[in-house]
Amino acid sequence: MKTNFVLTSAAAVLLSVAGADALEFRPFVGATMGLEGALYSGSAKTMERTNRIDLPTDFFAFGIETGVRAGDYNDIYNGGITLSATKSTYSSVQEKYADHRIASSDLFNISATYDNFIRISGDKENRIDLVLGAGVGTMAYHIDPVVASSETKWSFAPELKAGMDFELTKNFTLSANIRALMPTRPHYEFDVTYIVGGGVKYMF
């Protein structure tokens, strides 16, 4: 249900943008990777102290993205829509002061953002853009205990993004950014998760 909401919202924005005149549209696909950090909620920290465990705060994240960029190539400002899916590797939940794993956990999210591309490279041949974006998404926290059944909790999670795009050629662009995901579900394990990384995009 939440996934359909995200995709429907993104499609509505794309249709609105498509109605504008004299715009150049450049679809793209890409792959991303980075480090994902977690800021736990107060209830999660209390549970951590009570049970004398250490919850993981760092994950390796990888993902895919697709979307479209709109605007004249030579304009300072372009806009665009990005749809992304990101998955982390498993990290261990361990007993405090002991190297004993009691569970594994990982994170997954999908999102749709509207991105603002602001050219800062002047009259150089290749564009360098400041990228600022915001949107909506959903994230899942999965935990797999050693001696109990696994559990997955979903939450609606708005997203903020800031970064840079470096055009290598007319078809290939390197990205570096930080993305912050803010789950809204009550009593969720996280207040914020953030991904510091980047990727490569192929522009059609």
Side-chain angles (χ1 to χ4, degrees):
M1 183 66 180
K2 292 177 181 176
T3 302
N4 290 336
F5 171 76
V6 171
L7 297 178
T8 302
S9 300
V13 175
L14 281 173
L15 290 173
S16 175
V17 172
D21 294 327
L23 287 180
E24 176 186 351
F25 295 95
R26 300 195 67 194
F28 63 85
V29 295
T32 62
M33 62 185 299
L35 296 177
E36 186 164 6
L39 300 179
Y40 287 93
S41 63
S43 59
K45 292 178 181 178
T46 298
M47 182 270 293
E48 186 180 38
R49 290 192 297 269
T50 301
N51 293 285
R52 300 179 62 81
I53 61 174
D54 287 322
L55 297 171
T57 56
D58 300 301
F59 303 82
F60 178 75
F62 56 93
I64 56 175
E65 62 182 11
T66 186
V68 63
R69 181 166 169 163
D72 187 273
Y73 180 82
N74 295 314
D75 286 349
I76 292 177
Y77 174 81
N78 284 181
I81 297 291
T82 300
L83 305 176
S84 62
T86 307
K87 169 78 168 60
S88 80
T89 54
Y90 279 96
S91 289
S92 296
V93 179
Q94 296 184 330
E95 289 183 356
K96 192 174 289 290
Y97 311 120
D99 187 19
H100 178 64
R101 181 178 66 87
I102 62 172
S104 297
S105 65
D106 70 316
L107 304 170
F108 172 76
N109 76 275
I110 58 174
S111 63
T113 59
Y114 181 83
D115 297 329
N116 302 278
F117 300 90
I118 304 168
R119 184 170 187 164
I120 60 174
S121 56
D123 58 357
K124 292 182 180 180
E125 182 177 354
N126 294 334
R127 288 186 66 118
I128 300 175
D129 290 284
L130 171 67
V131 183
L132 301 173
V136 294
T138 184
M139 68 170 293
Y141 169 61
H142 175 78
I143 187 163
D144 187 12
V146 173
V147 294
S149 300
S150 62
E151 181 180 14
T152 301
K153 292 184 179 180
W154 290 88
S155 175
F156 179 73
E159 177 177 330
L160 297 176
K161 177 197 298 182
M164 302 280 286
D165 268 11
F166 303 89
E167 184 183 69
L168 301 180
T169 70
K170 287 290 195 253
N171 296 108
F172 286 98
T173 297
L174 289 180
S175 299
N177 56 52
I178 179 169
R179 300 163 54 198
L181 306 161
M182 296 159 286
T184 60
R185 177 174 171 172
H187 311 299
Y188 204 61
E189 278 75 8
F190 307 101
D191 287 333
V192 177
T193 68
Y194 56 91
I195 303 170
V196 179
V200 59
K201 293 188 284 192
Y202 182 82
M203 311 289 294
F204 292 95

